[in-house]
Amino acid sequence: MEAKFRINSFEEYEEQYKLSTERPEDFWGQIASNYQWQKPWDKTLEWEFDSPDVKWFLNAKLNITENCLDRHLEKRGNKLALIWEPNDPKERFVRMTYRELHEEVCRTANVLKKHGVGKGDRVAIYMPMIPELTIAVLACARIGAVHSVVFAGFSAHALADRINDSSCKMVITADGIYRGAKEIPCKGVVDEALKSCTSVETVLVTERTRWNVQMKEGRDYWMHQELLDVDRFCPAEPMDSEDMLFILYTSGSTGKPKGVVHTCGGYMVYAGYSFANVFQYDESDVYWCTADIGWITGHSYIVYGPLLNGATTLMFEGVPTYPDAGRFWQVCDKHGVNQFYTAPTAIRALMAKGEDHVLSYGLYSLKVLGTVGEPINEEAWEWYHIHVGKEKCPIVDTWWQTETGGIMISGLGGHSPMRPSHAGYPLPGIQPVLLDQEGKEIDGNDQEGYLAMRFPWPSMLRTTYGDHERCKNTYFSHYNGYYFTGDGARRDDKGMYRIIGRVDDVINVSGHRFGTAEIENAINSNDHIVSESAVVGYPHDIKGQGIYAYVITKEPPTNPDKLRAEIVETVVEEIGKIAKPDKIQFVSGLPKTRSGKIMRRILRKIAEGDTSNLGDTSTLLDPDVVDEIKAGAL
Ligand code: 6R9
């Protein structure tokens, strides 16, 4: 049997899945041959999960942008590659063909080169959702520079940390950001961040809002001026399969976000393959993913996955509720969107605004709906299915992570059985297992355990930037011989996976990951008032999880509301608005074990409002503190 790039039925899925696990190297070798390589590989795979050391398509040479752009020029040169819908529906939208995008990427790549950026250099990208962001990402890849996109909602402090961690040589940004009714500074944040960064030599600024921004002589340049005198073609840098393509920072259970590293060959193969199959994209379709390119979903399923398939990908600058809660659906009708991919939190937020907004639009073009980022509750699933999909569009609930690079467990649009709140079956090549406490595989269906992977896949992370030990400790040491996801999952009686949620100290707020320690560090940096804090997640109707902070102050708070505002302000400064605590409770102590470990289980229960069964509290250093916390719960 042959590996097929595009699966067209559930029977075919079953056959392909079998092939992919029985002969993984043959399988991925055949899938990879659907791409354009400058030099083929000597060996498909070499791996061990102890170090870990994983290599795919060894010694092959390629450039992912030749696969995203050049390869399509002959057949699809005049096909739309990108549709850009602005924040304000009255502003003109932008359409770019493959030929135009190719030229823009080449020109921008030449600007980067002119400023001394080359293969292996790190470039931070801090931008609003405008076409120039996609172009900047691809321009880096064109010349082999490593992009590190930082979501433009992060604070100057968080941006500086990320720039410093990978010593970026350049920052690409814009003057300002339009987001809903808000006008948000962008270049100003970069200026602030760069006060504590020494590695950055050049800042390129794209014009978006035409605000008056400070330009530092010899460091800052306007992109539109730099683009005036560069060549329209830029040769694609030959990259080794295992050369770094990008770094993307994500939170874990420890304080500092880590730079997840993805490499060129494997990432390309899997991003393209998973896109084609999950969304069942057809040649004339318009595909829209509402994520921001600052997250992995935007990397793999706005930029790379769609372009690798010669698809038309829509990019949206705004928010779901501006100018009103019908905006998503208005955009779907306006551009004839066929595949629509969003987050459960957005669905819940729109559901809360009532059906009228969605019922005002026809939504006839929709064929496949997707969700990502967090578990989708049944109510939201049904609403999406009935009101958006008119009960005719399959929903793909796609489970994956920054670290996995691509979708791991999901239905294949229209071909797989669906069950609300269940991601379903693994994609070909993906071998999930459920582990028990001891790290033993739990066989059979109707079982629950820790979700892990027992075999490598092409787009898995290779390391965490500058700290391989951390990669090993975070993902490969909990259970010997497995990649550990940090999620708990259940396999139902038919073998479909349901993701339950994180089993580590990670909170998922509106599909964005934060480590509890990261937020605690931010709160504690207010060290003239705060002596200690503990953060947990609690169920939140719209966001999935909200952030609940227990804070011990140095002095008993005289004006708690003012103090709360100060603490929130610090978190906004240290991380960004997206990590604002929803609730702050002042306490005189925290439930700790005799060894000094905070019993988060107890704090979580109290935050959930479930104080009936707190378990055994007798081993606590100070059991009385629990009663106090219970009494003051918000
Ligand atoms: C792509 C992305 C990863 C974490 C992951 C899990 C949660 C993602 C999910 C889901 C239930 C889904 N998650 N998709 N949980 N169902 N369909 O979101 O990456 O930001 O790294 O987050 O998100 O807990 O471990 P990332």
Side-chain angles (χ1 to χ4, degrees):
M1 206 201 332
E2 295 270 302
K4 282 189 71 184
F5 193 81
R6 169 70 180 263
I7 294 167
N8 290 312
S9 67
F10 194 66
E11 293 67 48
E12 228 168 61
Y13 158 76
E14 287 179 311
E15 283 166 21
Q16 293 288 311
Y17 188 79
K18 193 156 172 278
L19 175 66
S20 76
T21 51
E22 287 173 358
R23 295 190 282 126
E25 297 180 33
D26 281 355
F27 176 82
W28 285 117
Q30 288 175 37
I31 295 295
S33 65
N34 287 281
Y35 295 86
Q36 184 178 314
W37 301 80
Q38 296 171 352
K39 174 178 169 284
W41 50 99
D42 303 332
K43 200 176 168 201
T44 309
L45 170 66
E46 244 177 47
W47 71 288
E48 50 93 356
F49 274 180
D50 294 327
S51 312
D53 186 7
V54 176
K55 293 191 184 82
W56 282 93
F57 312 111
L58 283 85
N59 301 318
K61 295 274 182 283
L62 75 146
N63 187 293
I64 196 169
T65 69
E66 285 186 324
N67 285 273
C68 289
L69 302 168
D70 306 59
R71 183 165 64 124
H72 305 307
L73 292 183
E74 201 181 322
K75 251 179 63 197
R76 305 188 177 102
N78 297 324
K79 176 178 173 175
L80 290 182
L82 191 76
I83 300 176
W84 176 75
E85 173 68 23
N87 180 58
D88 180 349
K90 294 198 281 297
E91 192 182 335
R92 253 216 343 237
F93 61 92
V94 170
R95 301 206 284 190
M96 260 187 187
T97 63
Y98 269 91
R99 201 175 308 287
E100 288 164 339
L101 182 61
H102 176 264
E103 185 178 320
E104 291 306 315
V105 169
C106 282
R107 290 173 68 221
T108 301
N110 283 329
V111 173
L112 267 55
K113 269 190 176 163
K114 184 165 83 178
H115 285 278
V117 174
K119 182 169 174 174
D121 289 335
R122 276 81 57 212
V123 174
I125 303 180
Y126 186 81
M127 287 175 90
M129 282 287 287
I130 53 178
E132 289 82 352
L133 167 53
T134 297
I135 294 165
V137 164
L138 294 168
C140 287
R142 187 78 177 174
I143 60 170
V146 177
H147 56 77
S148 168
V149 183
V150 179
F151 171 61
F154 278 116
S155 67
H157 188 262
L159 172 61
D161 279 351
R162 286 158 176 76
I163 291 173
N164 287 331
D165 186 74
S166 47
S167 334
C168 295
K169 191 169 179 181
M170 174 183 268
V171 179
I172 308 179
T173 188
D175 44 6
I177 305 176
Y178 296 128
R179 215 177 132 72
K182 294 189 200 127
E183 301 197 333
I184 305 164
C186 191
K187 171 65 165 58
V189 179
V190 172
D191 291 339
E192 184 61 32
L194 292 190
K195 286 181 188 161
S196 47
C197 303
T198 51
S199 58
V200 175
E201 294 165 13
T202 314
V203 178
L204 296 175
V205 188
T206 295
E207 206 170 42
R208 168 63 184 117
T209 55
R210 301 185 172 228
W211 297 337
N212 213 346
V213 296
Q214 302 265 341
M215 296 293 279
K216 188 169 166 182
E217 177 90 43
R219 186 196 71 180
D220 303 351
Y221 300 86
W222 286 107
M223 186 69 100
H224 61 276
Q225 283 169 2
E226 295 304 296
L227 283 166
L228 290 176
D229 60 352
V230 291
D231 227 61
R232 288 162 51 186
F233 180 73
C234 171
E237 184 72 28
M239 303 295 284
D240 188 272
S241 260
E242 287 299 334
D243 278 339
M244 237 187 282
L245 174 63
F246 67 85
I247 305 171
L248 187 59
Y249 286 85
T250 189
S251 297
S253 36
T254 49
K256 220 174 104 211
K258 46 187 175 282
V260 168
V261 170
H262 285 289
T263 57
C264 297
Y267 177 82
M268 169 178 81
V269 169
Y270 198 75
Y273 173 77
S274 54
F275 173 82
N277 287 296
V278 170
F279 298 103
Q280 293 286 306
Y281 181 86
D282 288 322
E283 187 61 39
S284 55
D285 288 347
V286 174
Y287 160 89
W288 180 19
C289 165
T290 71
D292 191 289
I293 292 175
W295 310 109
I296 191 68
T297 304
H299 281 62
S300 302
Y301 301 111
I302 295 179
V303 182
Y304 289 116
L307 297 178
L308 285 166
N309 283 279
T312 301
T313 181
L314 192 150
M315 208 180 150
F316 176 46
E317 186 184 34
V319 298
T321 48
Y322 180 82
D324 61 51
R327 186 66 193 279
F328 272 0
W329 323 125
Q330 179 250 334
V331 174
C332 283
D333 276 4
K334 177 171 171 185
H335 298 288
V337 170
N338 303 106
Q339 290 88 6
F340 177 73
Y341 190 30
T342 195
T345 186
I347 298 167
R348 288 192 298 266
L350 296 178
M351 190 167 91
K353 305 265 181 195
E355 272 97 76
D356 287 356
H357 292 285
V358 54
L359 297 180
S360 324
Y361 298 93
L363 301 178
Y364 302 112
S365 55
L366 290 175
K367 297 200 285 196
V368 176
L369 303 176
T371 73
V372 60
E374 49 176 323
I376 178 162
N377 48 310
E378 267 181 55
E379 203 191 345
W381 194 97
E382 294 293 349
W383 191 89
Y384 199 29
H385 189 54
I386 295 169
H387 298 296
V388 181
K390 316 292 181 202
E391 295 180 74
K392 68 174 174 50
C393 300
I395 294 181
V396 290
D397 177 348
T398 65
W399 174 85
W400 59 297
Q401 310 177 294
T402 305
E403 296 84 346
T404 69
I407 296 168
M408 302 284 281
I409 303 182
S410 165
L412 309 182
H415 301 314
S416 312
M418 288 191 295
R419 182 171 176 194
S421 302
H422 287 66
Y425 297 107
L427 262 68
I430 306 305
Q431 301 191 31
V433 292
L434 296 178
L435 301 178
D436 66 14
Q437 298 273 4
E438 275 73 53
K440 282 223 330 269
E441 284 185 29
I442 304 172
D443 293 330
N445 288 341
D446 238 334
Q447 298 284 358
E448 204 171 302
Y450 299 118
L451 183 63
M453 300 294 150
R454 70 169 156 216
F455 198 83
W457 62 100
S459 65
M460 69 184 292
L461 87 161
R462 300 298 194 264
T463 188
T464 46
Y465 191 85
D467 192 351
H468 194 64
E469 205 50 29
R470 191 161 176 213
C471 172
K472 178 188 164 100
N473 292 337
T474 314
Y475 308 104
F476 298 91
S477 303
H478 292 262
Y479 305 106
N480 256 335
Y482 297 94
Y483 163 82
F484 176 49
T485 64
D487 282 327
R490 184 176 172 80
R491 213 164 31 222
D492 76 1
D493 54 347
K494 301 205 166 49
M496 293 176 81
Y497 284 88
R498 170 185 204 146
I499 310 302
I500 297 163
R502 302 291 304 193
V503 294
D504 53 8
D505 290 325
V506 168
I507 313 184
N508 190 327
V509 186
S510 302
H512 303 149
R513 281 161 68 175
F514 297 102
T516 52
E518 188 184 358
I519 303 173
E520 286 159 9
N521 289 347
I523 295 177
N524 299 349
S525 71
N526 229 320
D527 53 9
H528 61 290
I529 359 181
V530 175
S531 57
E532 200 180 351
S533 63
V535 164
V536 297
Y538 72 96
H540 186 288
D541 284 350
I542 306 281
K543 301 186 199 179
Q545 280 192 296
I547 300 174
Y548 195 121
Y550 298 91
V551 177
I552 308 178
T553 51
K554 294 202 161 143
E555 307 282 329
T558 43
N559 185 345
D561 283 341
K562 182 160 166 277
L563 211 53
R564 281 197 186 96
E566 268 179 60
I567 291 172
V568 166
E569 191 45 41
T570 323
V571 176
V572 171
E573 262 169 40
E574 295 281 317
I575 307 175
K577 282 208 179 79
I578 43 177
K580 263 190 200 172
D582 298 273
K583 293 182 181 180
I584 298 175
Q585 180 182 353
F586 295 110
V587 295
S588 69
L590 291 166
K592 287 188 181 170
T593 60
R594 279 166 216 278
S595 61
K597 206 170 174 334
I598 299 174
M599 296 276 278
R600 285 172 198 280
R601 179 178 54 79
I602 294 176
L603 294 176
R604 253 181 243 127
K605 284 239 163 195
I606 298 176
E608 280 166 19
D610 171 15
T611 51
S612 57
N613 181 16
L614 291 182
D616 184 13
T617 54
S618 62
T619 57
L620 292 178
L621 203 55
D622 175 11
D624 292 344
V625 79
V626 175
D627 292 326
E628 179 213 306
I629 298 177
K630 258 164 55 179
L634 302 169

